[in-house]
Amino acid sequence: MNDKRSEIAILRTLGLAPKSIMAIFMVQGIVIGFWGVLIGTGLGLLISMNVNNLIHWIESLLGYTVFEPSVYPLSHIPTIIRWGDICMISLMAFLLASLATLYPAWKAAKTQPAEALRYE
């Protein structure tokens, strides 16, 4: 937010209301949070469904056995996808990301144009 103080001050000088600035910050944060949760959930599902293939690929890439089968029986661990858990975790991650946008949005809305532009 500190690197955008002058831009926020210019918008305020042009007549943009503090509520509008707060809305801009919140919409941006919510969009970023949505895409982060969507990509993270997708990658998590993709990796968990292909963990055995991923381990074999890493071991063939490195040329040696990283996870000794007698010590780490990873090939015998099943992948159980519980959609209820995935939905709950994704929803909570999205809610936390959305809540995390409140403070920066509030600080941006409180920016005083004269103070922000004084040292520019």
Side-chain angles (χ1 to χ4, degrees), residues 81-98:
I81 297 174
R82 296 187 176 155
W83 292 105
D85 291 346
I86 291 169
C87 291
M88 183 62 71
I89 291 167
S90 298
L91 179 66
M92 290 304 297
F94 178 70
L95 288 175
L96 288 173
S98 299

Side-chain angles (χ1 to χ4, degrees), residues 24-63:
I24 290 169
F25 269 74
M26 290 191 65
V27 166
Q28 289 295 315
I30 288 170
V31 168
I32 291 169
F34 172 77
W35 283 107
V37 168
L38 190 68
I39 291 169
T41 302
L43 285 176
L45 284 169
L46 186 67
I47 290 170
S48 67
M49 290 189 304
N50 295 306
V51 69
N52 290 330
N53 296 333
L54 187 63
I55 290 171
H56 292 302
W57 179 74
I58 290 172
E59 288 177 347
S60 67
L61 187 70
L62 296 176

Side-chain angles (χ1 to χ4, degrees), residues 12-13 16-18 24 32-33 44 46 51-52 62 67 76-77 80 82 101 104 108 114 116-117 119:
R12 287 287 313 272
T13 303
L16 196 64
I24 290 169
I32 291 169
L46 186 67
V51 69
N52 290 330
L62 296 176
F67 300 106
H76 302 308
I77 298 174
I80 300 171
R82 296 187 176 155
T101 64
L117 294 174
Y119 302 108

